[in-house]
Structure formats: structure tokens, C-alpha cells
Amino acid sequence: MASKPARPRSPHLFSGPLQIHYRWSPAMLASILHRVTGDGMATVGAALFVWWLAALAAGKQAYAVFVDVFTYTDGRLNAIGWVVGVGLTFSLFQHMMSGIRHLVLDTGAAFELKTNRLLAILTFVASTLLTIAFWLVLTGVI
């Protein structure tokens, strides 16, 4: 009886003890984070915006509850306020930088591996620096 010939495996399947056939690259991470940040801003940002509008419409007490979730009594951001604020800000800048990268790729440029990798890394550097600068300005440090 003849044995079946070995068929090629898909690159996303494992072989051996959980060995992946491909290596992670900055371009892969930038592409995945572009989708994640877009979805995160759409869901979390929209939910917070609707909650804020509902709190405004419901009156002073409801708005005070909304503000109390994210700030201390003196108006400074608490831990939840910092995580949500910095997270949404980083998401905005990362999505924007990745969108600019995709715009460059859509022109047919930067498909060379080294250039593509460099642009992907620059999206992380730029979004991190823009987030830091934004919060330094917002908090009055600069």
C-alpha cells in the first residue's frame, strides 16, 4: 500500500513543540496594532462619549458621578483616568502614525524589507513621543 505524500503546511500551523514557521516583525505588530487601536477607540471612546453625553443630559449629580470615576476631588486624574486617558491618546497617535505608514505603502513605496521595517518601528517611536508630548503639555509641565 502506497503512503500519502507529505503535504505542505500552512505558515500559521505549528510543527513540533509549538514552533511557529514565521518570525514576528515590526510590520506585523504595526498592522495588528492598527486594527486593535482602531477598534479600541471606536468601542471604548464611543462608550465614554455616550456616557459623558448621558451624564450631561441627566444633570449635575450624574455628571459628578462621571467625573468622580476618573478624577480625585481636587480635579487631578486618578489611576483609572490616567490609564483611560493615556491609553486612548496612545491609541489615537498609534492609529494615526500607522495610517500614514499605510498611506505611504498604498502609493507603492516602502515595500523593501528594510524600509518597511524602519517605517513600522517609526510608528511606535512617533506615537510614543507624541503621547508623551501631549500629556506633558496637557499637564502643564511644558
Coordinates of all heavy atoms in Angstrom, one line a residue, residues 24 57 71 85 105:
W24 N 7.9 37.0 14.1 CA 7.3 38.3 14.3 C 8.2 39.4 13.8 O 9.4 39.4 14.0 CB 6.9 38.5 15.7 CG 5.7 37.8 16.1 CD1 5.6 36.5 16.6 CD2 4.3 38.3 16.1 NE1 4.3 36.2 16.8 CE2 3.5 37.3 16.5 CE3 3.8 39.5 15.7 CZ2 2.1 37.4 16.6 CZ3 2.4 39.7 15.8 CH2 1.6 38.6 16.2
A57 N -26.7 65.2 30.1 CA -28.2 65.4 29.9 C -28.9 65.1 31.2 O -30.0 65.6 31.4 CB -28.7 64.5 28.8
T71 N -11.4 61.2 38.3 CA -10.6 62.2 38.9 C -10.7 62.1 40.5 O -11.7 61.5 41.0 CB -11.0 63.6 38.5 OG1 -12.4 63.8 38.9 CG2 -10.9 63.8 37.0
G85 N -7.1 57.8 29.8 CA -6.6 58.9 29.0 C -5.4 58.7 28.2 O -5.3 58.9 27.0
L105 N 2.5 53.1 1.9 CA 2.5 51.8 1.3 C 1.5 51.7 0.1 O 1.8 51.1 -0.9 CB 2.2 50.7 2.3 CG 3.3 50.4 3.3 CD1 2.7 49.4 4.4 CD2 4.5 49.9 2.7

